[in-house]
Amino acid sequence: MKVFILCGGFGTRLNDEGKIKAKPMVKIGKEPILMHIIKIFYQQNFKEFIFCLGYKSETVIDYFLKENRKKIKIIKKSNNNIKFNYVSNKLNFIGNLILTGKKTGTGGRLLKSYKLLNLKEDFLMTYGDGLSNVNIKKLIKFHYKNKAEVTLTAVRPNQRYGVLKLINNKVKYFDNSNKKTDVYINGGFFVISKNAIEKIKNEKIYWEKEPLTYYLKIKKLYAFKHEGFWKSLDTLKDK
């Protein structure tokens, strides 16, 4: 299965870093978060990636084609796509750098990339700012077992602040442990049926709105519960 990674969002809450580079290029340790995401899939034997570029797309392109030029072999190059082979001591994968537009919706990025590559297959998708130790093969097995059209990975975020329980303006309970909440959120790491592309009507569509709402209504949207590690990069504190 091919892996789509949405790399086009604005890192508005990352101060100067979010202004000078694409969010997936923000470094976690010595490498951009994008490379950590690639490794999550690669270590589970998924080796073809589609990078859906938007804001500051040149920073992603330069990372691969300039900073890592000795590891890159260009396979195909067109106006909107650069297909390459990345080879190092630890990695050997195919990448597609696809320009999907600065103001394109998340669904629109998928639509443009899928059509440009002329695909007719189910695929994996995640966001360019989230890390997890989710078992991808179990996720896929869950998707097909339930005959789902779309499966997302449901995760429990940490509470950022202390939780209070109030009765008549008096504090009756206080917990500042930042433990996991009892609420699940969309953690990315999707399995998506080829049929779902038809529900993305134009490039302005956000994947999280009309398409997911449609599959929710027809009861074909499933959640794979992941209780392990998950973290998203939204702010400098998260970094």
Side-chain angles (χ1 to χ4, degrees):
M1 268 184 155
K2 294 178 176 60
V3 182
F4 285 67
I5 304 178
L6 298 182
C7 301
F10 297 87
T12 53
R13 290 181 287 179
L14 287 166
N15 295 346
D16 291 341
E17 262 199 291
K19 295 176 183 177
I20 64 174
K21 63 181 71 170
K23 197 176 181 184
M25 285 293 100
V26 174
K27 287 188 176 181
I28 306 298
K30 295 182 180 180
E31 293 184 312
I33 191 170
L34 181 60
M35 288 303 293
H36 294 287
I37 297 169
I38 289 169
K39 288 176 182 178
I40 290 169
F41 289 95
Y42 185 85
Q43 288 165 2
Q44 299 183 62
N45 210 33
F46 297 92
K47 299 179 180 179
E48 185 161 357
F49 300 89
I50 293 91
F51 308 110
C52 306
L53 309 182
Y55 178 71
K56 295 292 182 181
S57 58
E58 68 279 1
T59 61
V60 183
I61 294 170
D62 288 349
Y63 174 77
F64 286 111
L65 302 192
K66 292 184 179 180
E67 291 182 45
N68 289 279
R69 61 184 177 276
K70 293 182 180 179
K71 301 172 186 175
I72 295 294
K73 179 182 179 181
I74 302 294
I75 299 172
K76 185 179 179 181
K77 192 172 184 179
S78 64
N79 288 337
N80 294 317
N81 181 28
I82 302 171
K83 186 175 183 178
F84 64 89
N85 186 198
Y86 180 105
V87 181
S88 70
N89 292 334
K90 296 181 179 180
L91 296 171
N92 185 346
F93 65 84
I94 299 296
N96 291 268
L97 296 161
I98 299 185
L99 299 175
T100 60
K102 288 184 179 181
K103 297 181 179 180
T104 308
T106 49
R109 296 191 193 286
L110 290 177
L111 177 66
K112 280 188 167 186
S113 301
Y114 195 89
K115 284 190 171 182
L116 182 65
L117 296 173
N118 196 29
L119 300 178
K120 295 178 182 178
E121 62 195 63
D122 300 343
F123 59 97
L124 298 166
M125 183 275 276
T126 196
Y127 303 106
D129 62 358
L131 300 178
S132 178
N133 62 352
V134 60
N135 187 314
I136 306 298
K137 290 184 178 179
K138 284 186 178 180
L139 168 66
I140 293 171
K141 185 177 180 181
F142 173 90
H143 174 82
Y144 289 116
K145 181 180 179 181
N146 287 286
K147 298 180 180 179
E149 286 294 309
V150 178
T151 298
L152 59 80
T153 298
V155 298
R156 298 181 192 265
N158 282 320
Q159 294 169 339
R160 288 182 181 271
Y161 307 105
V163 175
L164 303 177
K165 183 177 180 180
L166 306 177
I167 298 178
N168 295 328
N169 296 325
K170 290 183 180 180
V171 177
K172 292 295 183 180
Y173 173 84
F174 174 62
D175 182 1
N176 196 38
S177 62
N178 288 334
K179 63 185 180 182
K180 292 283 186 180
T181 70
D182 58 357
V183 174
Y184 284 97
I185 64 170
N186 170 15
F189 296 92
F190 288 84
V191 184
I192 303 174
S193 162
K194 61 185 178 183
N195 302 322
I197 289 295
E198 298 173 6
K199 302 305 172 186
I200 306 172
K201 300 303 182 184
N202 59 65
E203 66 181 48
K204 300 297 182 183
I205 295 293
Y206 281 84
W207 170 247
E208 302 78 13
K209 294 183 180 179
E210 290 93 333
L212 286 194
T213 299
Y214 171 78
Y215 285 112
L216 175 67
K217 286 180 179 178
I218 68 168
K219 299 181 180 180
K220 287 292 184 178
L221 172 62
Y222 281 75
F224 177 77
K225 293 180 181 178
H226 175 63
E227 303 292 347
F229 173 79
W230 177 87
K231 187 70 179 176
S232 65
L233 175 65
D234 294 318
T235 66
L236 287 175
K237 183 178 180 181
D238 292 327
K239 179 183 175 180

